């Protein structure tokens, strides 16, 4: 069985920043899911879907960048879309502090992922 050679070069600063934005967003999404569950109701269930999708995508995107997957740029583009959708869903509750924290983390992550999806990795 042949293995790919280990990559010893460190991630670029831009990639490190994107991984960090993804992990921060993932954590805030996880906290927001808990908040949604406590609130209950049909509106929260719609928001919850977007938050769950975003949490999964950001974690997976960070993982793929860290292992230097050749699919990273495509994943970053998808992650940016998931973050945009989540931010929009969270903005439907502007009086909720946790929802606004989540929307802000999603916006930062989407911006970073859009930048990475356009970069040569």
């Amino acid at each position: 069985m042949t293995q790919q050679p280990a990559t010893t070069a460190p991630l670029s600063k831009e990639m490190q920043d994107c991984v960090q934005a993804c992990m921060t967003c993932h954590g805030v999404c996880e906290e927001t899911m808990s908040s949604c569950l406590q609130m209950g109701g049909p509106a929260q269930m719609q928001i919850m879907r977007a938050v769950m999708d975003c949490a999964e995508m950001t974690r997976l995107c960070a993982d793929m960048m860290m292992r230097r997957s050749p699919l990273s740029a495509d994943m970053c583009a998808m992650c940016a879309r998931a973050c945009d959708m989540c931010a929009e869903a969270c903005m439907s509750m502007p009086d909720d502090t946790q929802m606004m924290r989540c929307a802000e983390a999603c916006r930062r992550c989407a911006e970073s992922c859009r930048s990475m999806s356009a970069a040569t990795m």
Side-chain angles (χ1 to χ4, degrees):
M1 178 183 225
T2 335
Q3 292 183 332
Q4 290 183 332
T7 305
T8 56
L11 293 177
S12 69
K13 171 80 168 90
E14 188 181 23
M15 259 183 135
Q16 289 175 25
D17 290 347
C18 191
V19 167
Q20 187 56 54
C22 284
M23 294 310 294
T24 298
C25 189
H26 171 75
V28 174
C29 284
E30 289 290 333
E31 293 169 12
T32 304
M33 278 191 265
S34 179
S35 180
C36 281
L37 285 170
Q38 289 173 356
M39 285 185 239
Q44 278 67 31
M45 290 311 294
Q46 284 186 308
I47 294 169
M48 185 97 155
R49 274 190 212 92
V51 174
M52 290 171 75
D53 285 353
C54 190
E56 290 295 321
M57 289 289 262
T58 51
R59 184 194 52 75
L60 181 58
C61 189
D63 289 350
M64 290 176 80
M65 281 187 285
M66 287 187 285
R67 69 175 168 255
R68 294 166 174 83
S69 168
L71 300 173
S72 290
D74 293 333
M75 190 65 210
C76 283
M78 285 293 294
C79 189
R81 286 182 57 204
C83 287
D84 286 339
M85 289 173 64
C86 188
E88 189 175 318
C90 288
M91 290 301 293
S92 70
M93 296 185 69
D95 296 331
D96 187 291
T97 306
Q98 181 62 37
M99 292 294 178
M100 293 303 97
R101 277 186 66 227
C102 190
E104 182 56 35
C106 288
R107 278 195 217 100
R108 278 193 304 273
C109 187
E111 185 179 318
S112 186
C113 280
R114 256 190 292 283
S115 174
M116 285 309 301
S117 71
T120 305
M121 294 198 192

